[in-house]
Amino acid sequence: MNEIAQNGVLGMYNGAILAEMENPYNEYRLNADGTNYDTLLPAGIAFVVPSGINSPIATWTRGGLTSLTGNDIKTGKQLTRFDIEVAVDVAKGQEHKIGVLYDTNVGGLD
């Protein structure tokens, strides 16, 4: 249950997992009243992406777990870097399977 709470899983809707995605701060722009940083994504948006066998999401990896290990001069700690790239895209011809819901009461796309 702790893992579900930490990942923001809210429930299920028609067999699809409903999860909350964090909205990170844009550290280069302040909000309208200047009291905090603005967020990167507008509020009130939900993305509907089916999962499972018929998911339109395609993923690729490049590289692998080739690593580089060495000592950090400043801290003296031994560091390991893993070189793997992961890409995600919508499979060609399946774009119609993804939807976006927008709550006009919350706003954010103005």
Side-chain angles (χ1 to χ4, degrees), residues 20-26 37-45 106-108:
E20 180 182 4
M21 184 173 69
E22 288 186 33
N23 194 354
Y25 288 107
N26 181 356
Y37 291 110
D38 203 3
T39 53
L40 290 175
L41 300 171
I45 291 184
V106 175

Side-chain angles (χ1 to χ4, degrees), residues 48-50 55-57 89-100:
V48 182
V49 181
S55 175
I57 303 299
D89 196 5
V90 179
K92 187 174 182 178
Q94 297 188 29
E95 296 85 358
H96 65 279
K97 293 183 179 180
I98 294 179
V100 178

Side-chain angles (χ1 to χ4, degrees), residues 10-103:
L10 303 175
M12 298 281 286
Y13 177 75
N14 286 341
I17 296 172
L18 182 60
E20 180 182 4
M21 184 173 69
E22 288 186 33
N23 194 354
Y25 288 107
N26 181 356
E27 297 178 357
Y28 301 102
R29 190 173 68 202
L30 294 175
N31 59 6
D33 57 3
T35 58
N36 200 355
Y37 291 110
D38 203 3
T39 53
L40 290 175
L41 300 171
I45 291 184
F47 297 97
V48 182
V49 181
S51 60
I53 295 172
N54 295 323
S55 175
I57 303 299
T59 60
W60 298 270
T61 59
R62 181 171 69 176
L65 290 179
T66 55
S67 63
L68 174 68
T69 301
N71 293 328
D72 186 359
I73 301 297
K74 289 184 179 180
T75 63
K77 294 181 180 180
Q78 188 174 23
L79 302 176
T80 302
R81 184 184 85 187
F82 296 99
D83 297 324
I84 187 168
E85 294 177 281
V86 179
V88 178
D89 196 5
V90 179
K92 187 174 182 178
Q94 297 188 29
E95 296 85 358
H96 65 279
K97 293 183 179 180
I98 294 179
V100 178
L101 301 175
Y102 176 60
D103 187 351

Side-chain angles (χ1 to χ4, degrees), residues 1-11 17-20:
M1 294 306 288
N2 287 336
E3 181 181 352
I4 292 172
Q6 289 173 351
N7 291 331
V9 175
L10 303 175
I17 296 172
L18 182 60
E20 180 182 4

